[in-house]
Amino acid sequence: MSDPQRPRASLRTAVVWDVLEDALDRRVKATGKDSLDVLDTGGGSGNFAVPVARLGHRVTVVDPSPNALFALERRAAEAGVAERVQGVQGDILGLFDVVDRGGYDAVLCHGVLEYVEDPAEGVRNAVEALRPSGALSLLAAGLGGAVLARALAGHFSEARRALTDPAGRWGEGDPVPRRFTAEQLTEVVEAAGVEVGAVHGVRVFADLVPGVLVDTEPGALEALLQLEAAAAELPAFRSVATQLHVLGEKRG
Ligand SMILES: C[S@@+](CC[C@H](N)C(=O)[O-])C[C@H]1O[C@@H](n2cnc3c(N)ncnc32)[C@H](O)[C@@H]1O
């Protein structure tokens, strides 16, 4: 948390990365293996897969987009981890057409549930891919953050529409097909056989403050990152976060 050169992009990933790195560390200790088998469903171009591989783990990315998988391959090569990252074209709803059940120590499902037709089935598949006691890392768009952002931008009717819409969308122009509350995510994860360990709010403030404040004020980015970390687990702030992160462990 003390790197003054930390890029602004870290605002999007810092809280999730800290929680995920700890969870992988715990799996390493619990399994006694140096290198874990990690599955990143909808892993795209490797925002998480490549850093996870840099920790020494083997990562399989399943994603339907050939462009994303191409970018992943290039990024993994640039990071010197090509031999530990495997990209596979596939869909979380047909996951076992391309990967084995019960073959992974950790499964990531980041920014994917918003886009799948049946989020509960997506989560069930992610959990079925885990070994017993494996770690599930789930990140999805939060309803409260969208409502707050629309309201602060002066779009009050859209904010109210998101609040009452079953999918949490603010209108036809909304690029996100589905948003979730922490309760909805927790329920779907528990129903799939996972013990929830922690729920964090991601980007509670980052999307609400003008970028210029963060970019020009010395030390502002670091202070904002610390504020995000401090607020992430507090339910009051979590409920207005742009994204919600659920970390859990497969039962049995
Ligand atoms: C917002 S990006 C997130 C990428 C990455 N997980 C991250 O956190 O940076 C969403 C990704 O989900 C993928 N995706 C969309 N529908 C999917 C599905 N049904 N199954 C698996 N992945 C899907 C997209 O191709 C895209 O790469």
Side-chain angles (χ1 to χ4, degrees):
M1 275 287 174
S2 58
D3 178 4
Q5 301 304 317
R6 196 195 277 255
R8 201 163 190 279
S10 61
L11 277 171
R12 286 199 299 278
T13 52
V15 166
V16 179
W17 181 249
D18 287 349
V19 173
L20 180 62
E21 205 177 1
D22 268 7
L24 294 175
D25 247 13
R26 283 199 300 274
R27 286 318 302 146
V28 164
K29 288 189 183 110
T31 58
K33 300 193 285 191
D34 291 339
S35 179
L36 302 174
D37 296 306
V38 178
L39 174 66
D40 190 354
T41 59
S45 59
N47 282 339
F48 287 91
V50 169
V52 167
R54 291 182 74 162
L55 294 176
H57 306 304
R58 291 175 295 272
V59 189
T60 302
V61 172
V62 172
D63 200 287
S65 160
N67 287 345
L69 292 172
F70 180 73
L72 168 73
E73 199 179 315
R74 208 177 40 201
R75 204 159 163 186
E78 278 166 14
V81 293
E83 77 288 356
R84 288 201 294 278
V85 176
Q86 189 198 5
V88 181
Q89 195 172 2
D91 192 298
I92 195 169
L93 297 185
L95 194 57
F96 303 111
D97 294 343
V98 291
V99 301
D100 291 336
R101 290 171 205 270
Y104 296 89
D105 301 298
V107 174
L108 278 53
C109 179
H110 291 177
V112 181
L113 284 196
E114 296 90 325
Y115 303 96
V116 303
E117 236 168 74
D118 185 343
E121 190 187 341
V123 172
R124 279 196 298 275
N125 284 351
V127 174
E128 252 187 271
L130 280 170
R131 295 182 174 133
S133 302
L136 175 72
S137 174
L138 178 68
L139 180 68
L143 172 65
V147 173
L148 194 62
R150 290 325 277 171
L152 290 182
H155 304 299
F156 307 121
S157 300
E158 290 179 353
R160 190 162 57 86
R161 181 161 168 185
L163 202 52
T164 52
D165 181 64
R169 301 184 74 218
W170 48 255
E172 294 312 312
D174 189 339
V176 179
R178 203 174 277 106
R179 294 188 180 83
F180 305 87
T181 62
E183 292 70 27
Q184 287 169 331
L185 287 180
T186 305
E187 201 174 300
V188 92
V189 162
E190 282 178 342
V194 165
E195 190 76 40
V196 171
V199 183
H200 286 86
V202 181
R203 287 151 57 192
V204 175
F205 310 101
D207 299 339
L208 302 176
V209 294
V212 66
L213 283 184
V214 182
D215 295 334
T216 55
E217 194 72 22
L221 173 59
E222 196 54 30
L224 179 54
L225 282 162
Q226 287 181 12
L227 176 64
E228 291 280 356
E233 225 175 336
L234 303 176
F237 290 103
R238 194 170 69 194
S239 58
V240 290
T242 301
Q243 289 177 304
L244 295 162
H245 182 249
V246 178
L247 181 76
E249 187 172 298
K250 185 174 181 173
R251 289 193 208 104

